[in-house]
């Protein structure tokens, strides 16, 4: 049985576990328990890492319980078959009055064969012929009867072979009665989105990213559904033009679409067949770009040293002591806000006599690094270590559903900087820009600045082979940051 919070500690490493319900064990190869290593000995970290894995497992259990679902695009197939049956009935009636009609292909010959082998169908067919044979125009009406009979067989075949929801049953009835009323649906279906979601979570894509991209894909799906447009370059272009968003944001929508397209083209056989030979419709879109003065004005700006001092003082005056501490941590390290909020007491390490922040949780590989503790931070870090109640240096009560500890503090900083006259071009990340600017002006070598900031150098020599600068070299560089004025 799974332990509390679905966690179990094995040999110092946490594993996420989930009991497989009896009714779906067959779908999981008879397994009673699902288990996966979270590759961490930290309980707090394990609590966050387990969430996407549990979500993926529970989605698979839900799918297994729903039984065999209708395939994507089933409406198109039903509408096409019903229309073909109507066309065949019309052609047969015209033949009976003497017109020469070219033969039409039989829709789904295998289904017709199975129907004709069904004793009930054969008996019904004989009864229809007997009933119509004595009527005026009876053989003409018989063709309509035959079409209706086979339409009913199409519906029964789907119902018997698949697990239809009440809405799908209603939709099937409408399609059989009037196929012309059917409007082509978006190929970005909920079934495909669920499979895409599971795939990405299993490949450790952040839950927040998955949710954001899914929302963008649902927006496109709604557009395709309402417009009746096929998924092609023109439809995507029209969708983008209908958004009052920046080019940068629209590019994120295109990225979400392109990643979904690539996944479906690789993992969905039906998709590959439907879009065989079609180029990715999310590529080669030209979006307006900001240039020159406008681009410079829109870019994020660095704070001056004096402005950081003013913001720190304002935070202290308002009783925002944690935010004030966070501002100093950023100003003397150049760390990203979430990197700083994820620092734990065990992330304070000593290398070659230098006390360092061991940043192990970063948005990039290059961001995993060691940054010396600036002399101005020693007392602050000691206090944070001594008063920590949960192992983290920076206390946070953030309730962010993605486990982002900096969420509430980031919003608090936004309110603080706005109240002090700063606009959208200044954010907490601007402090990082200030640090990099000051290191440049202190003639710190570019390579060393990249190591401290967690940026790749762009060269194989330094990114792959070099072990990097020594702790003492990094400390010498970090000491060149100017003192934040206090008041």
């Amino acid at each position: 049985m799974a332990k509390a919070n679905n966690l179990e500690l094995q040999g110092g490493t946490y594993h996420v576990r989930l009991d497989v319900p009896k009714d779906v064990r067959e779908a999981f190869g008879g397994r009673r328990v699902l288990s996966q290593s979270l590759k961490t000995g930290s309980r707090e970290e394990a609590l966050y890492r387990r969430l996407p894995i549990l979500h993926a497992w529970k989605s698979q259990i839900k799918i297994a319980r729903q039984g065999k679902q209708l395939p994507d695009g089933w409406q198109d197939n039903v509408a096409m078959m019903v229309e073909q049956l109507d066309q065949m009935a019309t052609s047969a009636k015209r033949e009976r009055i003497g017109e020469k009609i070219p033969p039409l292909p039989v829709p789904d010959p295998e289904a017709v064969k199975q129907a004709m082998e069904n004793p009930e169908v054969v008996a019904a067919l004989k009864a229809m012929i007997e009933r119509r044979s004595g009527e005026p125009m009876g053989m003409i009406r018989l063709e309509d009867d035959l079409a209706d009979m086979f339409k009913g067989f199409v519906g029964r075949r789907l119902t018997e072979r698949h697990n239809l929801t009440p809405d799908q049953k209603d939709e099937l009835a409408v399609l059989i009665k009037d196929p012309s009323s059917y409007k082509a649906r978006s190929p970005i279906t909920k079934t495909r989105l669920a499979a895409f979601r599971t795939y990405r979570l299993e490949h450790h894509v952040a839950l927040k990213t998955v949710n954001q991209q899914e929302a963008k894909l649902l927006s496109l799906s709604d557009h395709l559904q309402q417009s009746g447009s096929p998924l092609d370059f023109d439809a995507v272009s029209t969708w983008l033009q209908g958004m009052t968003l920046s080019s940068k944001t629209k590019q994120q929508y295109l990225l979400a679409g392109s990643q979904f397209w690539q996944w479906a083209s690789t993992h969905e056989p039906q998709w590959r067949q439907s879009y065989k030979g079609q180029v990715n419709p999310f590529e080669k879109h030209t979006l307006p770009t900001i240039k020159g003065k406008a681009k410079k004005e829109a870019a994020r700006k660095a704070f001056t040293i004096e402005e950081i001092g003013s913001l720190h003082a304002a935070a202290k005056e308002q009783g925002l002591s944690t935010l004030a501490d966070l501002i100093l941590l950023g100003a003397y390290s150049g760390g990203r806000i979430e990197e700083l909020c994820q620092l734990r007491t065990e992330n304070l390490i000593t290398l070659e006599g230098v006390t360092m922040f061991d940043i192990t949780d970063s948005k990039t590989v290059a961001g995993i690094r060691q940054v010396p503790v600036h002399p101005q931070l020693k007392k602050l870090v000691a206090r944070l270590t001594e008063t920590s109640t949960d192992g983290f240096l920076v206390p946070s009560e953030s309730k962010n559903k993605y486990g982002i500890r900096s969420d509430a503090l980031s919003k608090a900083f936004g309110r603080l900087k706005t109240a002090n006259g700063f606009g959208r071009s200044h954010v907490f990340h601007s402090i990082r820009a200030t640090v990099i600017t000051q290191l440049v002006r202190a003639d710190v070598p570019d390579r060393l600045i990249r190591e401290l900031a967690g940026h790749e150098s762009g060269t194989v020599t330094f990114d792959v082979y070099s072990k990097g600068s020594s702790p003492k070299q990094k400390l010498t560089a970090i000491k060149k940051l100017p003192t934040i004025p206090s008041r």
Side-chain angles (χ1 to χ4, degrees):
M1 180 176 246
K3 306 297 182 181
N5 295 315
N6 299 93
L7 292 179
E8 184 175 71
L9 190 62
Q10 299 180 16
T13 300
Y14 278 99
H15 286 65
V16 58
R17 292 167 52 90
L18 182 68
D19 293 332
V20 180
K22 290 183 179 179
D23 59 317
V24 296
R25 285 177 184 169
E26 184 178 350
F28 288 85
R31 295 170 66 185
R32 294 172 175 267
V33 176
L34 300 175
S35 179
Q36 182 174 325
S37 172
L38 296 174
K39 300 179 181 179
T40 180
S42 165
R43 179 176 174 79
E44 289 77 8
E45 184 68 22
L47 286 169
Y48 293 138
R49 292 188 182 184
R50 73 194 166 106
L51 295 178
I53 299 172
L54 284 173
H55 184 278
W57 285 344
K58 290 177 181 180
S59 296
Q60 292 168 3
I61 290 172
K62 182 178 179 181
I63 292 172
R65 277 181 168 155
Q66 289 175 340
K68 189 175 182 181
Q69 302 300 296
L70 284 169
D72 288 320
W74 69 271
Q75 299 95 333
D76 295 292
N77 294 331
V78 171
M80 180 181 67
M81 289 183 66
V82 171
E83 287 176 345
Q84 288 177 331
L85 288 168
D86 285 337
Q87 290 171 3
M88 291 180 68
T90 300
S91 297
K93 288 187 287 186
R94 292 172 64 186
E95 272 192 303
R96 287 187 180 277
I97 62 175
E99 291 187 31
K100 291 185 177 181
I101 305 296
L104 295 175
V106 177
D108 199 346
E110 182 62 29
V112 173
K113 179 183 177 182
Q114 290 181 12
M116 296 309 298
E117 292 174 351
N118 187 317
E120 293 182 5
V121 173
V122 174
L125 179 58
K126 289 181 178 179
M128 279 190 286
I129 294 174
E130 290 175 3
R131 185 174 72 252
R132 293 298 189 188
S133 60
E135 297 179 3
M137 302 293 289
M139 290 299 100
I140 300 294
R141 295 192 180 104
L142 176 64
E143 301 299 342
D144 289 327
D145 291 341
L146 290 172
D148 289 339
M149 182 185 74
F150 280 105
K151 288 178 189 177
F153 182 74
V154 168
R156 286 195 300 277
R157 190 163 176 252
L158 276 179
T159 303
E160 292 169 357
R161 294 188 174 190
H162 301 278
N163 183 19
L164 274 68
T165 65
D167 288 343
Q168 288 173 333
K169 290 178 181 178
D170 292 341
E171 190 174 10
L172 176 61
V174 172
L175 282 171
I176 291 175
K177 183 178 180 180
D178 182 17
S180 63
S181 66
Y182 173 65
K183 190 176 183 180
R185 294 201 168 205
S186 164
I188 305 175
T189 62
K190 290 184 178 180
T191 301
R192 281 195 173 114
L193 283 175
F196 180 54
R197 179 185 188 86
T198 299
Y199 173 84
R200 303 205 76 203
L201 289 173
E202 288 178 341
H203 285 74
H204 309 295
V205 177
L207 180 60
K208 182 177 181 180
T209 300
V210 172
N211 286 347
Q212 289 176 337
Q213 291 196 336
E214 187 172 292
K216 293 174 173 63
L217 291 167
L218 283 171
S219 169
L220 173 58
S221 184
D222 289 342
H223 168 74
L224 296 176
Q225 177 66 36
Q226 293 169 12
S227 65
S229 304
L231 179 55
D232 57 20
F233 182 92
D234 292 336
V236 173
S237 180
T238 302
W239 171 57
L240 291 174
Q241 290 172 11
M243 301 178 188
T244 54
L245 300 171
S246 67
S247 294
K248 183 178 180 180
T249 302
K250 288 183 179 181
Q251 193 62 51
Q252 294 172 353
Y253 277 74
L254 288 173
L255 176 62
S258 188
Q259 290 180 338
F260 178 81
W261 177 276
Q262 292 166 10
W263 166 82
S265 298
T266 303
H267 299 280
E268 287 274 306
Q270 186 176 351
W271 184 282
R272 288 198 299 272
Q273 182 177 354
S274 300
Y275 293 97
K276 184 177 181 180
Q278 181 172 326
V279 297
N280 187 332
F282 299 96
E283 294 180 346
K284 299 184 179 180
H285 288 269
T286 303
L287 301 174
T289 57
I290 303 175
K291 297 181 179 179
K293 181 179 179 181
K295 183 175 182 179
K296 184 176 181 180
E297 291 177 349
R300 288 178 177 174
K301 297 179 174 63
F303 290 110
T304 65
I305 296 299
E306 291 71 26
E307 288 170 342
I308 293 177
S310 297
L311 288 170
H312 177 254
K316 290 177 64 177
E317 290 169 3
Q318 294 180 33
L320 304 173
S321 58
T322 299
L323 183 58
D325 292 341
L326 189 59
I327 290 172
L328 288 182
L329 286 172
Y332 287 117
S333 71
R336 301 176 177 92
I337 187 169
E338 183 62 17
E339 290 175 346
L340 298 173
C341 288
Q342 290 291 344
L343 285 173
R344 302 177 61 84
T345 53
E346 61 259 34
N347 293 131
L348 284 171
I349 62 175
T350 301
L351 296 175
E352 298 178 19
V354 178
T355 304
M356 315 272 280
F357 291 121
D358 186 18
I359 299 175
T360 60
D361 192 337
S362 179
K363 61 184 290 187
T364 65
V365 174
I368 299 173
R369 63 199 188 279
Q370 291 82 38
V371 179
V373 175
H374 192 286
Q376 292 288 341
L377 290 179
K378 286 188 175 182
K379 290 184 179 179
L380 170 59
V381 169
R383 171 169 57 80
L384 293 176
T385 301
E386 184 178 347
T387 58
S388 174
T389 58
D390 57 3
F392 289 99
L393 284 181
V394 179
S396 172
E397 297 180 357
S398 178
K399 302 299 182 182
N400 182 282
K401 62 181 178 180
Y402 303 112
I404 298 176
R405 300 190 75 252
S406 62
D407 186 57
L409 289 164
S410 179
K411 292 174 181 176
F413 183 83
R415 294 189 292 269
L416 179 73
K417 60 98 176 181
T418 299
N420 281 269
F422 295 99
R424 297 179 63 180
S425 59
H426 284 91
V427 294
F428 190 91
H429 206 75
S430 297
I431 297 176
R432 179 171 163 84
T434 303
V435 171
I436 294 174
T437 300
Q438 294 301 322
L439 291 174
V440 170
R441 292 179 179 179
D443 293 325
V444 175
D446 178 71
R447 175 181 54 79
L448 184 47
I449 294 175
R450 290 176 182 272
E451 289 179 23
L452 292 169
H455 290 157
E456 290 184 354
S457 71
T459 65
V460 174
T461 302
F462 292 116
D463 291 338
V464 177
Y465 294 105
S466 174
K467 297 298 183 182
S469 303
S470 70
K472 291 183 179 179
Q473 286 176 309
K474 291 180 179 180
L475 179 59
T476 299
I478 213 76
K479 282 182 175 179
K480 293 184 178 181
L481 290 173
T483 301
I484 305 299
S486 58
R487 64 177 191 219

